[in-house]
Amino acid sequence: MREPMDVEDLFYILGNPTRRLLLKFLSMGPHYPFQLARLLNISQKAVMDHLRVLEERGLVVKLGCERSSIGPERTYYGVNSFLMVDFSVAPSLYELKVVEAKREKSGYEAVSGTFEEIIYKLRGLAGELEKIGEELRELERRRVKALDAKQRINVQISELINLLDLDYIEKIILNLLVIKGGARLEEISEELDLRERHVERYLERLKELGLVEEQDGFYSIVS
Amino acid sequence: MREPMDVEDLFYILGNPTRRLLLKFLSMGPHYPFQLARLLNISQKAVMDHLRVLEERGLVVKLGCERSSIGPERTYYGVNSFLMVDFSVAPSLYELKVVEAKREKSGYEAVSGTFEEIIYKLRGLAGELEKIGEELRELERRRVKALDAKQRINVQISELINLLDLDYIEKIILNLLVIKGGARLEEISEELDLRERHVERYLERLKELGLVEEQDGFYSIVS
């Protein structure tokens, strides 16, 4: 039942409201620590500590320094990645999905325009955003519906498996095989955090009971 | 820039790997504390502490007690809600969405069947799951694509607004109005965690500059 280490790490980072707020401001554009400290009403030391954590995780980068004749040097920080975390939990449903991509250096053309042109472009972009917003809401409705259907099927699978005379681990292994449409020994072992030789013994018993079949090391429910 | 209190709360809860593991096991079916302690290889006291946090948050419920003649009473816990958390961050993109629904008491028919019928049903359900899995992957591809498009438009909006001779807060307010397709004073004030009378002053200036218009208290970019 292990999750990849970097997911744990990520949840730890996002679990802190100040860090989320920093990410929110930095997603709006480059900021320097003193500015962030003022915006969040916390010390610059605290800002630096959080920025270091976010930077180590690759969520935030130093974008450059700006020398000033009237004050100290300013180091600008910004968000540099595209990160998407989806987490769902319900009876018979547990899903954790992380999509992460480094952004390439902006390949955008340098923008320019007169005052009127800028306003005209902004209104056009606002219209595009509205359409995308509609699509995202539609996708979300469909996703909730699909997850709901999945959850209901998972519940039925659990209930059916509970009718069989199996012990706890055998039930979990059979459940995994049904849900995944089959799996290899190593996969089951890793998912359940059990030693392969233990899993193998359970699989043998499931095979003897006529519930599971094996082909070339791939185990699935009998066809 | 406030988030609703319960979102902070939720991230705090999910930020702990042991609690996520407990949720994972409980999503698979009812468990009692001693069983969870053994599965996670932690003390029963630690299990109880985490369960209390999850229960207070409404993610986990006591499902009932079972008296045993040979051991202490067992209290079974389970997942009782449907919870979905979507979090995305990128340059010019910050989205946090939480969907939460209490589940009704299972309205499922009591399952039954012979050994062969159970296997037959399980295989049918596995087939349905596969179709739903495909749909979910397709929805995710479309979602990543839409978020990516949204992010690129947001970047363009920021760059265009940066061309205007505005101060930091004015830029943020204008950005908000473009992205949201307009907003009321209270909404802007809450989103930016600024006093309404300050926001009003900035909006007045944006109006004077010919960037923003107001109708019945609704502010938007000039048409």
Side-chain angles (χ1 to χ4, degrees), chain A residues 37-160:
Chain A
R38 254 191 348 194
L39 284 164
L40 272 72
N41 206 18
I42 57 175
S43 73
Q44 242 194 110
K45 163 92 173 62
V47 168
M48 291 308 297
D49 288 346
H50 286 306
L51 284 176
R52 206 188 49 245
V53 172
L54 293 168
E55 204 185 352
E56 279 168 5
R57 189 55 182 74
L59 294 173
V60 155
V61 280
K62 286 193 192 81
L63 292 172
C65 290
E66 197 179 80
R67 285 191 180 280
S68 158
S69 51
I70 54 157
E73 194 176 84
R74 292 168 176 173
T75 305
Y76 280 87
Y77 289 81
V79 167
N80 191 40
S81 60
F82 178 92
L83 171 73
M84 195 175 102
V85 183
D86 290 351
F87 181 78
S88 310
V89 66
S92 291
L93 182 81
Y94 182 95
E95 299 210 327
L96 178 52
K97 176 105 201 170
V98 177
V99 177
E100 204 177 350
K102 278 271 163 295
R103 309 297 294 182
E104 310 125 44
K105 281 279 167 194
S106 63
Y108 308 104
E109 297 162 48
V111 289
S112 64
T114 63
F115 189 83
E116 284 72 26
E117 284 167 352
I118 291 172
I119 292 179
Y120 179 80
K121 283 184 192 168
L122 284 176
R123 290 185 46 228
L125 292 169
E128 286 183 52
L129 272 190
E130 209 182 313
K131 263 183 259 166
I132 295 174
E134 268 166 39
E135 196 194 342
L136 282 169
R137 281 189 291 279
E138 171 63 20
L139 290 174
E140 193 196 304
R141 269 192 296 274
R142 285 179 58 188
R143 182 156 171 259
V144 169
K145 220 176 130 188
L147 281 176
D148 199 71
K150 182 173 180 170
Q151 189 265 334
R152 279 165 199 278
I153 291 173
N154 284 346
V155 167
Q156 288 177 59
I157 290 170
S158 292
E159 291 186 355
L160 284 167

